[in-house]
């Protein structure tokens, strides 16, 4: 792929490939929660006619190369093309170079994998209503350098040795990107499927709230897509289960992923999103439940009958 080919990739397709889905549409404009930072109200716009983006929160915009510069913290065009090719939608024809790629100077360096202890990351988990001790059982605190600057975030491992990364200002991954699968040597009969690791942690938090004794991963197996574009990687793994319960987002992308999996695996696949009807995803439902429980506790402490 040369730079002209890269610029022909539709921004909405590229964003979908890295796990970002629009939350609103106004004519030719799609609105997203910014992939460049944490936010609750969509302020990242893609004009599908011009194939340009603009982030109102930081006052920046441009084409796919300009977006990749911020996503991958680099101005090295060769590196950016490689990163976009790696995440390019499957519908886009990508011809990778036959020569051995040069390791970019601006890639992630000096990676440290530590237990989660940083106050900013703990606060971020608490703001998402995630049980911190539960998160520590599967997530790590990652520290790394890129372009001469130091960064850190919550890392969620996948089966290929890569990590999904989250912090209050960043959403991305350390390659390779892949699914995450938690299972015992003797797989259980049931596997729960989640779209992202925050949904998975939300489920584990909800389960712990309902039964504080259940703190481990041993009750059933779990698979996290880390992006609905990874759904094609799951059929073989999930075919071994008698029951596959999907806790995917209540949007078109989540429903399409469920239908694709149901088509491939048949009656073993069930839609568990009815648990959080009226909410976008499990984390939104968890936060609403947590606020409700908090209000109930306040009323109880004041002697108010519920």
């Amino acid at each position: 792929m040369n730079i002209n080919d890269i610029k022909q990739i539709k921004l909405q397709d590229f964003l979908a490939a890295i796990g970002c889905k629009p939350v609103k549409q106004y004519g030719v404009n799609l609105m997203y929660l910014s992939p460049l930072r944490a936010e609750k109200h969509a302020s990242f716009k893609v004009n599908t006619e011009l194939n340009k983006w603009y982030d109102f929160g930081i006052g920046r915009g441009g084409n796919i190369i300009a977006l990749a510069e911020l996503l991958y913290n680099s101005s090295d065009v060769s590196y950016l093309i490689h990163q976009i090719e790696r995440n390019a939608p499957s519908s886009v024809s990508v011809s990778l170079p036959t020569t051995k790629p040069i390791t970019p100077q601006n890639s992630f360096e000096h990676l440290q994998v530590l237990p989660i202890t940083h106050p900013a990351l703990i606060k971020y988990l608490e703001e998402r209503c995630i049980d911190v001790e539960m998160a520590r059982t599967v997530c790590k605190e990652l520290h790394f350098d890129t372009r001469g600057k130091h960064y850190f975030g919550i890392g969620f491992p996948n089966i290929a040795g890569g990590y999904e990364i989250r912090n209050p200002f960043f959403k991305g991954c350390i390659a390779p990107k892949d699914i995450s699968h938690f299972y015992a040597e003797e797989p259980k009969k049931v596997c729960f499927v989640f779209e992202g690791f925050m949904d998975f942690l939300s489920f584990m938090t909800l389960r712990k709230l309902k039964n504080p004794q259940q703190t481990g991963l041993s009750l059933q197996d779990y698979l996290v897509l880390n992006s609905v574009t990874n759904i094609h990687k799951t059929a073989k793994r999930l075919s071994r289960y008698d029951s596959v319960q999907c806790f995917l987002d209540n949007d078109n992308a989540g429903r399409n992923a469920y239908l694709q999996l149901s088509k491939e695996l048949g009656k073993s696949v069930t839609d568990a999103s009815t648990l959080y009807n009226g909410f976008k995803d499990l984390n939104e439902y968890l936060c609403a439940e947590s606020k409700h429980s908090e209000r109930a506790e306040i009323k109880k402490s004041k002697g108010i009958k519920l």
Side-chain angles (χ1 to χ4, degrees):
M1 259 188 175
N2 59 37
I3 195 164
N4 289 326
D5 295 328
I6 290 291
K7 289 180 179 178
Q8 297 308 308
I9 296 174
K10 293 180 180 180
L11 277 166
Q12 63 267 35
D13 291 342
F14 175 69
L15 288 166
I18 62 173
C20 297
K21 302 175 292 297
V23 297
K24 295 178 183 178
Q25 180 170 1
Y26 303 102
V28 298
N29 295 313
L30 300 175
M31 298 300 299
Y32 296 77
L33 293 174
S34 176
L36 304 174
R37 54 198 171 79
E39 64 173 351
K40 293 183 179 180
H41 302 288
S43 63
F44 184 94
K45 181 181 76 172
V46 169
N47 185 303
T48 57
E49 190 172 71
L50 300 176
N51 204 30
K52 295 288 181 69
W53 64 276
Y54 188 81
D55 191 321
F56 291 91
I58 60 175
R60 298 279 296 275
N63 60 22
I64 192 171
I65 298 294
L67 177 59
E69 285 184 355
L70 298 178
L71 280 173
Y72 304 116
N73 299 300
S74 175
S75 57
D76 185 329
V77 176
S78 297
Y79 172 58
L80 297 177
I81 289 175
H82 174 72
Q83 290 296 96
I84 294 171
E85 285 179 330
R86 184 173 60 80
N87 287 304
S90 57
S91 60
V92 178
S93 175
V94 178
S95 55
L96 295 175
T98 55
T99 56
K100 186 177 180 180
I102 299 172
T103 303
Q105 294 181 346
N106 295 320
S107 60
F108 296 108
E109 298 175 332
H110 309 123
L111 176 65
Q112 289 182 290
V113 182
L114 307 168
I116 298 174
T117 58
H118 198 288
L121 298 182
I122 292 173
K123 181 182 178 183
Y124 173 60
L125 288 170
E126 290 174 342
E127 288 174 348
R128 300 291 296 267
C129 302
I130 301 295
D131 182 87
V132 176
E133 291 306 315
M134 178 61 69
R136 283 179 174 141
T137 64
V138 289
C139 297
K140 297 294 183 181
E141 181 176 312
L142 303 185
H143 288 254
F144 53 91
D145 297 329
T146 184
R147 298 184 69 194
K149 294 183 179 180
H150 185 74
Y151 297 89
F152 63 93
I154 297 166
F156 182 72
N158 64 41
I159 62 171
Y163 287 91
E164 295 295 307
I165 309 173
R166 300 288 184 276
N167 68 30
F169 311 103
F170 178 76
K171 177 181 179 181
C173 73
I174 292 180
K177 190 177 182 71
D178 213 324
I179 63 172
S180 302
H181 193 192
F182 300 93
Y183 58 93
E185 291 184 11
E186 291 295 329
K188 304 293 190 298
K189 292 183 178 182
V190 179
C191 186
F192 287 179
V193 177
F194 303 89
E195 195 162 319
F197 79 87
M198 281 295 173
D199 295 318
F200 169 61
L201 295 179
S202 297
F203 174 84
M204 300 300 289
T205 298
L206 283 164
R207 195 181 70 176
K208 185 175 178 181
L209 287 172
K210 294 181 185 298
N211 190 342
Q213 304 304 315
Q214 296 179 357
T215 58
L217 300 174
S218 59
L219 292 183
Q220 59 270 315
D221 293 351
Y222 307 90
L223 188 146
V224 183
L225 297 174
N226 295 320
S227 169
V228 290
T229 58
N230 285 332
I231 196 72
H232 66 282
K233 300 179 181 181
T234 65
K236 185 176 180 181
R237 286 176 174 268
L238 294 175
S239 63
R240 71 184 73 171
Y241 295 100
D242 295 336
S243 174
V244 175
Q245 299 186 31
C246 296
F247 295 83
L248 305 178
D249 288 2
N250 281 320
D251 59 14
N252 288 335
R255 284 187 285 273
N256 288 337
Y258 163 73
L259 290 173
Q260 182 178 335
L261 200 57
S262 182
K263 184 178 179 181
E264 292 189 46
L265 298 179
K267 294 181 179 179
S268 65
V269 181
T270 57
D271 183 4
S273 66
T274 52
L275 170 68
Y276 42 97
N277 269 340
F279 296 91
K280 177 183 176 292
D281 55 30
L282 262 173
N283 186 247
E284 188 176 283
Y285 171 73
L286 167 64
C287 291
E289 285 289 293
S290 297
K291 289 177 182 177
H292 176 75
S293 298
E294 189 176 299
R295 287 195 295 267
E297 284 297 319
I298 292 172
K299 288 181 179 180
K300 186 176 180 181
S301 66
K302 293 181 177 179
I304 300 173
K305 290 186 178 182
L306 301 176

